[in-house]
């Protein structure tokens, strides 16, 4: 849709989609309410053409169409979701980078605005966003929103509150960041090897700028309240030091300067852990002087760390002081060990080598009916199996390259009582006789109303196939003939290719990111990510 013009901004406002990754926090509804309220405050405010909530709660991943644990109930977006026309895409708990990718790839607007599910949009946000996007130059790949973190006025902020407030000075945080679709497509979106909400936004910004785009600060401001949390949050966030090792491996030792991010306290944590090690070694070697020196050094560094964290915080007599003192006491002793452990683990993984994102394809998964074989509705007869033209040649080409091949197939005829699972298996065996062996078979026997995690367009079968093969989802492609195949591929973080048939709807073709006339053309569409054929 074309948004109405905003007063003071010439021309038609750029169209934008909103993508929100979420794990079901209650704050999600508050964000959606403030998004819907933009039109109430300013009837001329441009509305998003699409709103997508990427539900990143974990899904049970099990082969053969069976689930070992309950599937979470769909996110209830309430009346506000209906007012916004919001869609929910289930992404299976693969992290915010994967959730954002699934979200933006399922939209079509030229701009994508990423919002976190714990922010709130003040009145006038949509008008200022429209102005930011309208002012973007041809080589502007992204426009950052300014963040405001409300802090207590009656006392000094806690360590967690100060950490959240640091977002106000951060560059390119996706709590409110608008990216041009062309730029996202050029760099293949977020790198899903960053599983946490920590460095994935800095990595994307570096790659977008390296591709020749500029990133600018906008005029809009978004409110980012401090999220309630527990005492152990400062330990959990140390997992982000793994991502620092990934950033160094991908972008070189000067990545911090280019990303304009601080250095943190890792060096001091290493010294603190080293001192503790000296103390233990001294005890084991029965050298009390060495043990005492190590222990004294560890204690001094730990106390200094706790002092530095407490000094800018609440004062004695404040309502939260006792709790903050307790938190800082034990976490200041534990944080150095957690930080060093995570950094070592990240460095070990990074030193094995990291390919540029998104890497070479290692598997291609195919829909069965209408893609590999001619569609015979609810077919239970192996004699009725007829491969489509070129299927064997394409599969053999992939096998020759060392690419694993598999099948992901909805078979609701089982749930409808029209065929048995044994008949499905017999048909699958005939497919293998005609087309050669497959490395994985994933079959969903459920019906449309069963609310399973495996039936396409849900990503369950695709994720199960990747797990069985031991391959990351982003190193897989999915080839199918209808929109459900494409949607399942996008939700799972794989590359979709649509090969239309007479039953494929026109809107499914229009929405697919990659369309091929036949299987041979589908292979050509993937050629840039396929390995070379192996020498015989």
């Amino acid at each position: 849709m074309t948004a109405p013009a905003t007063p003071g901004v010439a021309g038609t406002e750029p169209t934008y989609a909103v993508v929100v990754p979420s794990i079901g926090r209650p704050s999600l509804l508050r964000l959606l309410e403030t998004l819907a309220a933009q039109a109430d405050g300013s009837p001329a405010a441009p509305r998003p053409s699409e709103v997508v909530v990427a539900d990143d709660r974990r899904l049970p991943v099990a082969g053969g169409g069976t689930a070992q644990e309950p599937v979470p109930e769909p996110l209830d977006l309430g009346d506000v979701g209906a007012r916004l026309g919001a869609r929910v895409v289930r992404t299976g708990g693969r992290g915010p980078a994967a959730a954002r990718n699934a979200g933006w790839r399922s939209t079509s607007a030229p701009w994508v605005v990423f919002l976190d599910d714990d922010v709130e949009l003040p009145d006038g946000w949509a008008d200022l966003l429209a102005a930011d996007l309208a002012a973007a130059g041809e080589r502007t790949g992204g426009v950052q929103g300014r963040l405001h973190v409300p802090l207590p006025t009656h006392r000094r902020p806690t360590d967690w509150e100060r950490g959240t407030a640091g977002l106000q000075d951060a560059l390119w945080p996706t709590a409110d960041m608008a990216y041009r679709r062309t730029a996202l497509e050029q760099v293949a979106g977020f790198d899903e090897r960053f599983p946490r909400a920590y460095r994935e936004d800095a990595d994307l910004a570096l790659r977008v700028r390296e591709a020749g785009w500029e990133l600018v600060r906008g005029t809009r401001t978004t409110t980012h309240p401090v999220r309630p949390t527990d005492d152990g949050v400062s330990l959990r966030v140390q997992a982000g030091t793994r991502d620092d090792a990934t950033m160094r491996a991908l972008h070189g030792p000067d990545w911090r300067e280019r990303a304009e991010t601080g250095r943190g306290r890792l060096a001091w944590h290493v010294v603190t852990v080293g001192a503790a090690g000296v103390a233990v070694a001294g005890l084991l070697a029965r050298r009390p002087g060495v043990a005492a020196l190590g222990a004294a050094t560890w204690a001094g560094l730990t106390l200094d760390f706790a002092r530095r964290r407490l000094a800018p915080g609440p004062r004695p007599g404040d309502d939260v002081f006792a709790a903050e003192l307790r938190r800082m006491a034990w976490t200041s002793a534990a944080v150095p060990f957690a930080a060093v452990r995570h950094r070592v683990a990240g460095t070990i993984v990074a030193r094995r080598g990291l390919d540029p994102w998104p890497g070479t394809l290692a598997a291609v998964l195919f829909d069965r009916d209408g893609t590999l074989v001619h569609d015979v509705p609810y077919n239970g007869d192996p004699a009725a199996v007829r491969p489509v033209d070129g299927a064997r040649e394409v599969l053999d080409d992939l096998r020759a390259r060392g690419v694993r091949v598999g099948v992901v197939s909805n078979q609701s005829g089982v749930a409808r009582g029209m065929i048995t699972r044994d008949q499905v298996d017999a048909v699958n065996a005939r497919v293998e006789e005609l087309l050669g062996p497959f490395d994985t078979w994933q079959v969903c026997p459920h019906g449309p109303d069963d609310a399973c995690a495996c039936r396409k367009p849900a990503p369950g079968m695709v994720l199960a196939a990747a797990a069985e093969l031991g391959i990351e989802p982003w190193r897989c492609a999915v080839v199918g003939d209808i929109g459900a195949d494409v949607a399942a591929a996008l939700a799972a973080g794989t590359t979709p290719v649509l090969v239309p048939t007479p039953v494929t709807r026109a809107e499914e073709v229009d929405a697919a990111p990659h369309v091929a006339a036949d299987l041979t053309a589908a292979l050509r569409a993937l050629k840039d990510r396929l390995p070379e054929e192996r020498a015989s």
Side-chain angles (χ1 to χ4, degrees), residues 237-255:
V237 300
Q238 301 309 312
T241 59
R242 293 185 182 226
D243 297 336
D244 287 348
T246 303
M247 289 290 289
R248 183 183 178 89
L250 291 172
H251 299 288
D254 64 340
W255 72 267

Side-chain angles (χ1 to χ4, degrees), residues 189-221:
F190 292 86
D191 188 333
E192 296 177 22
R193 291 171 295 189
F194 292 93
R196 290 162 287 274
Y198 186 60
R199 294 297 188 203
E200 85 290 359
D201 46 12
D203 167 77
L204 177 62
L206 281 179
R207 289 186 291 114
V208 167
R209 291 198 291 186
E210 288 165 0
W213 299 91
E214 65 174 356
L215 302 179
V216 301
R217 286 180 179 266
T219 60
R220 67 192 186 279
T221 297

Side-chain angles (χ1 to χ4, degrees), residues 139-199:
R139 296 306 301 170
T140 299
V143 185
Q144 174 184 348
R146 301 171 187 270
L147 298 178
H148 168 62
V149 179
L151 294 176
T153 58
H154 64 288
R155 59 167 173 79
R156 295 183 179 187
T158 63
D159 180 70
W160 173 242
E161 290 166 342
R162 296 194 307 275
T164 303
L167 290 171
Q168 295 178 143
D169 300 319
L171 286 178
W172 331 127
T174 41
D176 180 356
M177 185 73 191
Y179 272 103
R180 195 185 294 271
R181 174 175 298 277
T182 308
L184 290 171
E185 291 174 343
Q186 185 174 346
V187 302
F190 292 86
D191 188 333
E192 296 177 22
R193 291 171 295 189
F194 292 93
R196 290 162 287 274
Y198 186 60
R199 294 297 188 203

Side-chain angles (χ1 to χ4, degrees), residues 103-114:
W104 77 260
R105 288 169 180 162
S106 69
T107 65
S108 59
W111 285 92
V112 182
V113 181
F114 296 103

